[in-house]
Amino acid sequence: DEIQDLMETDPQGTSVAFEAMQIPMETAWELCLLLDKDGNREVQLEEFVEGCLSLRGTAKAWDIGLLRRESKQTCRKLATLESYFEHDFLVDIQEQLANTLAKQNAFGLCSSKKLALSGAGV
C-alpha cells in the first residue's frame, strides 16, 4: 500500500526509480503484487529493491523450467481436487449425513425408551 501511495503522490519520482532499475512503469503495480510473498499487501523497501533487481533482465531457461514444473504440479493438484469434488465429495457428504442421522435416531430411540421406562415406574 505504501508503494501505491508513493505512486499516487510522486508519480514522476516513482517512475524514475523504476526506470533506473529497468522496469517499465506500466508493470509497477503487478510487480508489487509479485513481490508480496505472504499476500499481506505489504512489501518492505529492502525486499522491494532486492526483488526488483532479481527480476531485472530476461528470464533464464532455469527460471522457465522451474515455472513449468511448478505449473504442472499445481495442475495435477487441481485435477485431483476437481475429480474429488466431481465424484467423491457428494458420496462422502451423503455418508456423513446418514451416519449423523443414524446416531440421532439411535439417541432419540434410547431417550424415548428411558422416558417410557421411567413413566412405567421401572
Side-chain angles (χ1 to χ4, degrees), residues 107-119:
F107 179 74
L109 194 62
C110 290
S111 296
S112 298
K113 285 184 180 180
K114 282 183 181 180
L115 288 174
L117 291 174
S118 66

Side-chain angles (χ1 to χ4, degrees), residues 29-46:
W29 180 242
E30 288 84 7
L31 176 64
C32 291
L33 294 174
L34 180 66
L35 296 176
D36 183 13
K37 300 282 186 195
D38 58 5
N40 67 353
R41 297 181 56 96
E42 291 182 8
V43 179
Q44 301 300 322
L45 182 60
E46 182 178 327

Side-chain angles (χ1 to χ4, degrees), residues 62-110:
W62 172 260
D63 297 323
I64 293 171
L66 286 175
L67 288 173
R68 277 188 183 155
R69 188 174 134 257
E70 290 174 5
S71 177
K72 286 179 184 178
Q73 288 174 343
T74 301
C75 285
R76 280 194 295 271
K77 289 177 183 179
L78 285 173
T80 301
L81 278 173
E82 180 182 27
S83 176
Y84 169 73
F85 281 115
E86 286 179 351
H87 304 287
D88 301 327
F89 180 71
L90 184 58
V91 172
D92 288 348
I93 294 296
Q94 289 171 338
E95 288 174 0
Q96 289 177 15
L97 182 59
N99 289 338
T100 301
L101 290 173
K103 287 178 186 177
Q104 285 180 346
N105 287 338
F107 179 74
L109 194 62
C110 290

